[in-house]
Amino acid sequence: MSDTAVMNNNVSEQTNELTAEMKNRRRDLNGQQQKLDEQETKLKKSRRNRCIFMAVMAVLIIVMLVVKYVVYFRPENVKEDKQTKAIAADIDVNSLQVMPYNEDLTVACQPILIANSKDNTVKLDLISPQNCKVLVRAEIFADKKDLGNKKLKLFWHGKVHPDDESLVRIGATGWVRPGEMIEDMKLDELPTRLSDVTVRFTAVNPANYNISSGVFDMKTVMHIVDYEGNMMDENGNWVKAG
């Protein structure tokens, strides 16, 4: 074989090797590009899903805030309380705090409140005597520093009532008619310790609930007990009662 033939054969082999190497590199590049495209597609999809999720959450938060805001400013629709009962003839009024506001409004109530930690009820014994000429209700307010289980409620209270005396309503009755009483009130939240509370009595004209017949407060103390011999002290610790 001539030198020229050998050279041509070597060149042909090198050319084939280069062609094969180029094909392999092209295949590798195509594979890498495909992986990059797949990763970019997944990244775009992840970003899109994240944006959709954030948008949905933002809308839900805004809706919840608007609803909560409206609830706080919407006039309260107070109805006659369904938990009332007729005043018993043998009830001991001497143990209650009798408060004559004026000739139309007189109420009686427990002078010191005892709350049950198991069901969030408080012994109230709110009485509207037969000679009372108006409808009356009771609301219980506690200081913000004595609460804490409902952070959202405290947050909105601070936003809606930033300049008040730091009192938050923790329970309320409906309207009580003359000759009726309410023994127990269900509370939204119990104070976290023995604390001072305010019971606010509000009266309205029976013919028109929009006509006020008086508002006055009673300052008292709320004890929290478990009716198993334990009660909370002023630091929020359970101690033996008595």
Side-chain angles (χ1 to χ4, degrees), residues 147-175:
L147 303 173
N149 294 332
K150 295 187 177 182
K151 302 295 184 182
L152 184 60
K153 182 175 182 179
L154 294 180
F155 169 80
W156 276 105
H157 180 83
K159 292 295 183 182
V160 179
H161 307 290
D163 301 321
D164 71 356
E165 64 274 29
S166 298
L167 293 180
V168 178
R169 192 176 78 174
I170 59 175
T173 69
W175 297 121

Side-chain angles (χ1 to χ4, degrees), residues 135 175 203-213:
L135 301 178
W175 297 121
V204 294
N205 188 311
N208 188 341
Y209 291 7
N210 293 321
I211 300 178
S212 174
S213 297

Side-chain angles (χ1 to χ4, degrees), residues 79-104:
K79 299 180 180 180
E80 293 185 4
D81 202 304
K82 296 181 179 180
Q83 305 300 319
T84 59
K85 57 185 295 186
I87 300 174
D90 59 348
I91 189 169
D92 183 13
V93 183
N94 293 325
S95 64
L96 303 179
Q97 178 77 23
V98 179
M99 293 163 283
Y101 178 76
N102 56 31
E103 61 181 10
D104 294 331

Side-chain angles (χ1 to χ4, degrees), residues 108-153:
C109 180
Q110 286 289 348
I112 295 177
L113 303 183
I114 307 295
N116 188 342
S117 64
K118 295 182 178 180
D119 59 7
N120 282 24
T121 59
V122 61
K123 188 68 173 176
L124 188 65
D125 287 334
L126 170 64
I127 292 178
S128 177
Q130 197 69 251
N131 61 351
C132 189
K133 300 178 182 178
V134 295
L135 301 178
V136 64
R137 71 182 301 212
E139 302 169 276
I140 298 179
F141 294 81
D143 196 294
K144 286 193 294 186
K145 65 180 177 60
D146 295 328
L147 303 173
N149 294 332
K150 295 187 177 182
K151 302 295 184 182
L152 184 60
K153 182 175 182 179

